[in-house]
Amino acid sequence: MSIRLAPAVEELIRTLSALPGLGPRSAQRAAFFLLQNRKGALDELASALNTARRGVGRCRLCNTFTEGDICSVCADEDRDPGLICVVESVADQMALDASLAWPGLYFVLNGRLSPVEGIGPADIGMPQLLKRIGAGVEEGVLREAVVATSYTPEGDATAYYLIDALKKRWPQLRVTRLARGLPSGIEIEYTDLSTIANAVYSRRDV
Amino acid sequence: MSIRLAPAVEELIRTLSALPGLGPRSAQRAAFFLLQNRKGALDELASALNTARRGVGRCRLCNTFTEGDICSVCADEDRDPGLICVVESVADQMALDASLAWPGLYFVLNGRLSPVEGIGPADIGMPQLLKRIGAGVEEGVLREAVVATSYTPEGDATAYYLIDALKKRWPQLRVTRLARGLPSGIEIEYTDLSTIANAVYSRRDV
């Protein structure tokens, strides 16, 4: 005798629960919230999704989200076009740029290599990245590529693949990875052993 | 030099962060997830929202979400039309019905009275509820109304208002509230004092 929700409501809950951060219960809460605020939140979200679907694409140069052909970062003349930073996602790009430490451009991969899940170089946009770097090198503009993938097994696999591809094709290009070491604000006592070991191996003269 | 997202992406994050359960950070993650899965999750969510916007309304009898004129609960002939349970929300209705303890019908208020927020009887659908109960009483069908609001200050205020209105208009109608007492599966040691006090006051002979 338990209540069966209307199919359209069930479908709304199902699609919301696909979002990261929303489990089945919070997806139901979100769906009821939207249905209770149909002139407000529901209309606004529906309209934002329709606009995003029609208007948001990928930057032709760096593959980040953009409404135009080229994103605001690639169009920014204050950035050094001799430096390109390769990241796994737009979220990583945002975090890196918020650190204000990177004066150059970016290339956003579509995630990282994962042989287990059958995700290969073409799936994450490796060919486009190599084409972009090749153009930069041949124009004599590009001096350095930073491989800014995470220090996880899949991030490492992606980095190794990319570093190998870059060094084979353009031996003159400087290729770097982000430094490993102690994070800010955390006591050594509470830092994991792999991080401490890397901080020791990469210790620097002062 | 920090990155400015495209306005359509900002707007998508803003509308997603209005959902309960999604803060600004998880709204950004959800937006990037949708933009990265535009043929999948984005299209499905947009389509589910458009369907819900067009197709889902309120049941003419009980005010729950429904795609037709009357919901499946009100149309269910196995339910006792002599019993009506008044709840604050569709979520409360779902939870109550999942307990399998209620054999009757429902009426879903649009929340509860909140003088502080300026939410009065008309805002939560009191007039429709009184009309519905009046019709049931005059037809000689309705025997009991359970006021199933929560035991919170606003839930109590809503209950007092409704009980008063019902008793004045139809003194012959049985009006009840849900029992207060110990929740299942929790040790008395860990139960709050107000709940224990109510369990003592309402103790029953065995």
Side-chain angles (χ1 to χ4, degrees):
Chain A
M1 206 194 256
S2 187
I3 296 176
R4 285 217 33 240
L5 284 167
V9 180
E10 293 275 17
E11 174 65 6
L12 182 56
I13 295 172
R14 194 189 64 73
T15 54
L16 283 167
S17 70
L19 296 180
L22 283 185
R25 240 196 125 72
S26 42
Q28 182 186 296
R29 273 184 66 213
F32 289 176
F33 169 83
L34 288 169
L35 290 167
Q36 234 137 10
N37 297 277
R38 53 173 61 240
K39 292 287 162 220
L42 199 159
D43 277 4
E44 283 186 15
L45 181 56
S47 138
L49 283 169
N50 290 333
T51 304
R53 185 159 57 158
R54 281 194 310 267
V56 178
R58 298 298 191 129
C59 173
R60 186 166 54 74
L61 294 174
C62 80
N63 194 45
T64 199
F65 302 134
T66 181
E67 282 180 83
D69 184 39
I70 291 176
C71 75
S72 60
V73 176
C74 287
D76 183 351
E77 300 200 342
D78 288 338
R79 290 184 180 259
D80 186 341
L83 307 171
I84 196 161
C85 179
V86 181
V87 293
E88 293 174 15
S89 66
V90 177
D92 283 1
Q93 181 196 15
M94 302 283 297
L96 259 161
D97 215 71
S99 79
L100 302 178
W102 182 244
L105 302 176
Y106 293 89
F107 188 93
V108 179
L109 293 170
N110 298 318
R112 38 198 188 190
L113 296 179
S114 175
V116 179
E117 296 173 60
I119 298 173
D123 300 310
I124 65 170
M126 248 347 150
Q128 293 88 322
L129 169 57
L130 293 175
K131 211 175 130 197
R132 169 91 176 79
I133 288 184
V137 172
E138 276 146 44
E139 286 163 19
V141 175
L142 193 63
R143 305 189 305 278
E144 177 182 350
V146 185
V147 179
T149 57
S150 57
Y151 285 104
T152 59
E154 295 178 346
D156 278 334
T158 309
Y160 295 144
Y161 178 94
L162 177 56
I163 290 165
D164 189 58
L166 294 178
K167 287 197 174 292
K168 264 191 200 138
R169 283 171 178 77
W170 304 287
Q172 73 278 30
L173 182 69
R174 184 179 176 203
V175 179
T176 56
R177 279 191 84 177
L178 295 181
R180 305 187 77 156
L182 298 179
S184 302
I186 298 197
E187 318 218 11
I188 293 174
E189 183 182 351
Y190 301 118
T191 305
D192 70 287
L193 299 184
S194 156
T195 299
I196 294 177
N198 278 293
V200 171
Y201 300 148
S202 306
R203 67 193 178 280
R204 58 197 174 111
D205 295 306
V206 289
Chain B
M1 205 192 258
S2 186
I3 296 176
R4 283 214 38 237
L5 285 166
V9 181
E10 292 276 16
E11 175 65 8
L12 182 57
I13 295 172
R14 195 188 64 75
T15 55
L16 283 167
S17 71
L19 296 180
L22 282 186
R25 241 195 125 71
S26 42
Q28 182 185 296
R29 275 184 63 213
F32 289 175
F33 169 83
L34 288 168
L35 290 167
Q36 234 136 14
N37 297 276
R38 53 175 61 240
K39 293 286 161 220
L42 199 160
D43 277 5
E44 282 187 12
L45 181 55
S47 140
L49 283 169
N50 290 333
T51 304
R53 186 158 57 157
R54 281 194 310 267
V56 178
R58 298 296 192 131
C59 172
R60 189 166 53 76
L61 294 173
C62 80
N63 195 44
T64 199
F65 301 133
T66 180
E67 280 181 85
D69 185 38
I70 289 175
C71 74
S72 60
V73 176
C74 287
D76 182 351
E77 299 199 343
D78 288 338
R79 289 183 180 260
D80 186 340
L83 307 170
I84 197 163
C85 179
V86 182
V87 293
E88 292 174 16
S89 67
V90 177
D92 282 1
Q93 180 195 18
M94 303 283 297
L96 258 160
D97 215 69
S99 78
L100 302 178
W102 182 244
L105 302 176
Y106 293 90
F107 188 92
V108 180
L109 293 170
N110 298 318
R112 40 199 186 186
L113 296 178
S114 175
V116 178
E117 296 174 61
I119 297 173
D123 299 310
I124 65 170
M126 250 341 154
Q128 293 87 322
L129 169 57
L130 292 174
K131 210 175 132 198
R132 169 92 176 79
I133 288 183
V137 172
E138 275 146 43
E139 285 163 20
V141 176
L142 191 63
R143 305 188 306 278
E144 178 182 351
V146 186
V147 180
T149 57
S150 56
Y151 285 104
T152 59
E154 294 178 346
D156 277 334
T158 309
Y160 296 144
Y161 178 95
L162 178 55
I163 291 166
D164 189 59
L166 294 177
K167 287 198 174 288
K168 265 192 197 134
R169 284 172 177 76
W170 305 287
Q172 74 277 30
L173 181 69
R174 186 180 175 203
V175 180
T176 55
R177 280 191 84 176
L178 295 180
R180 306 186 76 155
L182 297 180
S184 303
I186 298 198
E187 317 218 14
I188 293 175
E189 184 183 351
Y190 300 116
T191 305
D192 71 286
L193 299 183
S194 157
T195 298
I196 294 177
N198 278 293
V200 172
Y201 300 149
S202 306
R203 67 192 179 280
R204 58 199 175 107
D205 295 307
V206 288

